[in-house]
Amino acid sequence: MSIQQKIESLRDELREHNYNYYILDNPTISDYDFDIKLKELQALEEAHPEFYDADSPTLRVGGEVTKNFNTVVHEHRMYSLDNSYSKEDLLDWEKRIKKMVDGQVNYTCELKYDGASISLTYENGSLLRAVTRGDGTQGDEVTANVKTIKSVPLRLKGDFPQKFDIRGEIVLPFEGFIKMNEERLEAGEEPYRNPRNTASGSLKLQDSAEVARRPLECLLYNITGANLGFDTQFESLKKARQMGFKVPEAATLATSIDEVLEFVEYWDVHRHDLPYETDGVVVKVNSLQQQEELGYTAKSPRWAMAYKFKAEQVSTRLNEITYQVGRTGAITPVANLEPVELAGTTVKRASLHNADQIEKLDIREGDEVFVEKGGEIIPKIIAVDLSQRPIDSQPTKYISHCPECQTELVRQEGDAKHYCPNYNGCNPQIIGRIQHFISRKAMDIEGLGGETVALLVNEGLISNYSDLYTLTKEDVLPLERMAEKSAENLINGIEASKQIPFERVLFAIGIRFVGETVAKKLAKHYKSMDAIMNASEEDLVSVDEIGGRIAESVVEFFSSEENKDIIEKLKQNGLQLQISAEKLANQTDKLKGLSIVVSGVFESVSRTELKKMIEDNGGKVSSSISSKTNYLVAGDKMGPSKLEKAKTLGVEMISENDFINMLK
Ligand code: AMP
Ligand code: ZN
C-alpha cells in the first residue's frame, strides 16, 4: 500500500468510527484504539502535507482561530416559526391550511431542539460552509468551529445532491453541560446558566480548539436546494440520515391532526428522558408540493407550526433558607423545599442565586413557592404564592456573617454575591482550596482524597496546601481509617507531586480566574512564580489573552502576606516554581510580534517541532497566509495554492535553514 492509500484508508476508517459513535451511538472500537489510529493518521499527514484534505477526521481537534466572523447572506432565508400553545391553536391552524390546499394533508412531527440554529452548505459531498441564523437573512460564518463538532459530517455517505443547504440546531446535551460546569467551578469560575446559551456562545469562540473540547451536537431537520430527490419532509429526514447526518428518531409521520396531538402529549411527558433540551414540537405539512402552495408569511412558513411546551411548574413549601460557602468564599443561598415531584425528579432544593433575587421576589421561609424547571439544570423559584403567606411571616434578612466562621461578609460593587473575606480562617474555603490543589488537573496527588483533606484540616494538621509538604507518616497514622499502607501512599504521593511542572502548580494554587489555560499562558510568559508575583496589573494585561479581571485577581492574590508565605513554603519544599531549565533554555523573544506560516516537509525537524520552536521564541504560528503573515517557512512539497498566495501577497519565504539561523 502506498503512503497515500494508507492515509486514505485511515481517514475512511476513522470517518466510519466517528459515524458509528456520534450518529448511531454504537461504537465498534474502544476510545483508546481510536486515538491510536487518529495519532497514526496525524503523524502521516504531518509528514506528507501534499496529501492534505480539508475533510480529514484529524481536523476535528480544531486549532484554527477566527478573529472576525464574516457575514454571509443566506441563499435561502432562514425563517422563524409561528408558535402555538394549545390544542385549539393547532386545530385553528389545521382549518387555515385545509382552506388553502386540496386533498389529504399529512404532517411530520418533530421535536423542537433548543440550541443555536445553523445552516450548513454542502457541495459535492463536502462541508463548504456553516452559517448562524443571524437575522434570518444573513448570519455569521462559523465553519472552522462547526467542523469540530463530531456529529457534523465533513464528507457525506451514499448519494447526495450536488449542492444543498441543511438546517439544524446545535445543542449541548445535559451531561456535557454539567461536566463543563464542574470544571468551571473547579477553576473558581461562575457556572454557565443554561445549555442553550452555552451552545450559541460556543459557536462564536475565536479558538476552534476550545469549541472542539465542548461536547456539542448537531441535530438536523431541513434540507433546502434544487433537485433534492424527495417529495416529502419525512422522506427528507430519512435522506439526511442516509447521508450521515444526525436526525433524531422521534420524528413521526401523522395522517391527521389527532395523531399530531398524540405526538404532542407523548413528548410533553417524555421529553424529560431526552439527553438534550427541547422546548416544544414542530409540526410540518409533509408534502413539499403542499408546502409550496401554502408558502410563507413575512416571517414564517404557513406550512409549519411550533407547539411550545409549558415550562413545568409545581408549588411547594419553602422550609428554610440556608447558605453555602464555596472555595472562593462566595455565598450561595439555597432554598430547602418540602420534597416535590417535578419533571420526573424529586426536587428538594433550589438555588436562590443571591440576595437581590431573594429581595426581588420577596421570598420568605414558610412561603408556598412556585418552582420551575426551565433551561437551567437546578430548578428555580419563580414566584411566591402570596395568598398562602402566613400572617406572622417576616421578610428574609440576608445573613451578614459567614455561617461557617462568623466573619462579617463583604459585597463588592457590581458583584451580585456576598463573600466571606476570611480567606485563611474559613473552613470550607480552606478545605475547598486544598481539594482543588490536589485535584487531578492540578497537583494530582495520588493517595489523597477530598475527604482526607477535610479530615486533615478539621484535625488541625494542616491549614493550607503548603502544610501538606511537612506532614509525616506519624502525623497521619492516627487519622480515622488510615492504615500503615495508605499513610505511606499519601506521603509518597505528596513527595511525587514536587515534580509537577510549574504551569500546573500555578493552576493549583487557586488564584481566582486562573484556570488551566490561563495558567499555561502566564507560565510561558513569565517563566517563574517570582516574575508573576512582581508583575503589575498593566504588565499582566499586556500579555496576550490576559484581561483586566484576571490581572486584578493575580495582583490581589500576591498582595496578601499570607499567600506570599505559603508560596515561600512551597519553594522551600522544592516544588517547581519556574519552568524547567530545559524548557527555559529553548525559549527566547527573538520572534516576538511575528506571524509565521509553516508549510511543506522539512529535513532536520518535524513540522510540530518547527511550530513549537516558533512559539517558544515568542512568535505566532498561523495556519493560513494573509497580508499579516511575516514569514512563510517553506519546506519541500509545499502546496501550490499556498505558494501562489505567498507570492501575490509578497510574503517573505524562508527555508528551514534560514529559520534556524534566525534563532541563533
Ligand atoms: P423561533 O426561534 O421560536 O421562531 O423558532 C424557530 C427556530 O426553531 C428555528 O430557527 C430552528 O432553529 C428551531 N428549531 C428547532 N427544532 C426545529 C425543527 N425540528 N424544525 C424546525 N425548526 C426547529
Ligand atoms: Zn467564612
Side-chain angles (χ1 to χ4, degrees), residues 23-55:
I23 308 292
L24 302 182
D25 271 337
N26 184 21
T28 55
I29 179 176
S30 71
D31 291 356
Y32 177 79
D33 289 335
F34 182 90
D35 281 346
I36 300 262
K37 285 187 195 284
L38 189 70
K39 291 223 170 79
E40 187 183 354
L41 176 59
Q42 262 163 344
L44 283 172
E45 287 183 344
E46 199 146 281
H48 297 277
E50 66 275 24
F51 302 130
Y52 175 82
D53 179 348
D55 300 340

Side-chain angles (χ1 to χ4, degrees), residues 218-365:
C218 185
L219 310 174
L220 286 309
Y221 56 72
N222 176 277
I223 305 180
T224 314
N227 303 321
L228 298 172
F230 47 78
D231 305 315
T232 67
Q233 168 67 9
F234 197 68
E235 280 170 53
S236 80
L237 297 180
K238 216 189 279 172
K239 176 83 191 172
R241 283 189 199 106
Q242 282 162 1
M243 291 191 281
F245 293 101
K246 186 151 192 159
V247 179
E249 295 290 340
T252 300
L253 188 60
T255 55
S256 68
I257 206 78
D258 283 339
E259 284 179 30
V260 170
L261 293 172
E262 267 171 38
F263 183 89
V264 168
E265 271 159 35
Y266 179 85
W267 283 106
D268 201 358
V269 177
H270 288 88
R271 67 187 164 120
H272 301 297
D273 307 334
L274 292 166
Y276 43 78
E277 242 179 300
T278 53
D279 61 341
V281 158
V282 184
V283 190
K284 299 172 185 170
V285 169
N286 192 41
S287 150
L288 299 190
Q289 165 73 40
Q290 286 177 333
Q291 285 190 6
E292 213 175 292
E293 285 170 39
L294 288 162
Y296 296 81
T297 66
K299 176 177 145 285
S300 47
R302 289 200 187 83
W303 46 263
M305 181 59 87
Y307 173 91
K308 290 273 178 100
F309 294 134
K310 277 187 241 4
E312 293 223 15
Q313 246 183 43
V314 285
S315 96
T316 188
R317 209 178 96 100
L318 168 58
N319 290 328
E320 194 191 2
I321 298 175
T322 54
Y323 299 85
Q324 280 178 349
V325 187
R327 154 162 85 83
T328 58
I331 306 291
T332 305
V334 178
N336 295 270
L337 306 165
E338 194 58 38
V340 64
E341 284 291 308
L342 174 63
T345 52
T346 306
V347 175
K348 298 191 194 85
R349 287 143 70 85
S351 167
L352 292 168
H353 300 300
N354 52 50
D356 291 344
Q357 183 79 4
I358 293 176
E359 199 177 327
K360 200 171 96 198
L361 298 175
D362 186 19
I363 297 173
R364 307 178 183 186
E365 288 182 349

Side-chain angles (χ1 to χ4, degrees), residues 78-83 85 109-118 133 167-171 196 219-222 233 237 248 251 278-284 299-300 303-306 308:
M78 289 180 86
Y79 285 89
S80 290
L81 292 171
D82 280 340
N83 288 323
Y85 299 91
C109 305
E110 295 165 39
L111 294 170
K112 189 165 189 293
Y113 322 111
D114 202 11
S117 346
I118 195 81
R133 178 164 101 164
R167 268 80 192 263
E169 199 84 359
I170 293 181
V171 299
R196 188 208 10 205
L219 310 174
L220 286 309
Y221 56 72
N222 176 277
Q233 168 67 9
L237 297 180
T278 53
D279 61 341
V281 158
V282 184
V283 190
K284 299 172 185 170
K299 176 177 145 285
S300 47
W303 46 263
M305 181 59 87
K308 290 273 178 100

Side-chain angles (χ1 to χ4, degrees), residues 322-423:
T322 54
Y323 299 85
Q324 280 178 349
V325 187
R327 154 162 85 83
T328 58
I331 306 291
T332 305
V334 178
N336 295 270
L337 306 165
E338 194 58 38
V340 64
E341 284 291 308
L342 174 63
T345 52
T346 306
V347 175
K348 298 191 194 85
R349 287 143 70 85
S351 167
L352 292 168
H353 300 300
N354 52 50
D356 291 344
Q357 183 79 4
I358 293 176
E359 199 177 327
K360 200 171 96 198
L361 298 175
D362 186 19
I363 297 173
R364 307 178 183 186
E365 288 182 349
D367 272 343
E368 193 70 20
V369 293
F370 294 108
V371 183
E372 184 176 297
K373 221 171 185 177
E376 290 77 27
I377 301 290
I378 306 159
K380 62 177 179 194
I381 294 179
I382 50 159
V384 173
D385 185 350
L386 292 174
S387 69
Q388 308 250 17
R389 176 168 280 173
I391 348 173
D392 60 349
S393 146
Q394 294 294 320
T396 298
K397 264 228 232 39
Y398 203 79
I399 48 166
S400 56
H401 290 75
C402 176
E404 299 281 344
C405 72
Q406 281 70 47
T407 304
E408 192 171 352
L409 300 179
V410 293
R411 187 185 203 181
Q412 253 145 24
E413 252 201 50
D415 218 335
K417 290 210 162 198
H418 285 73
Y419 282 85
C420 166
N422 187 11
Y423 186 84

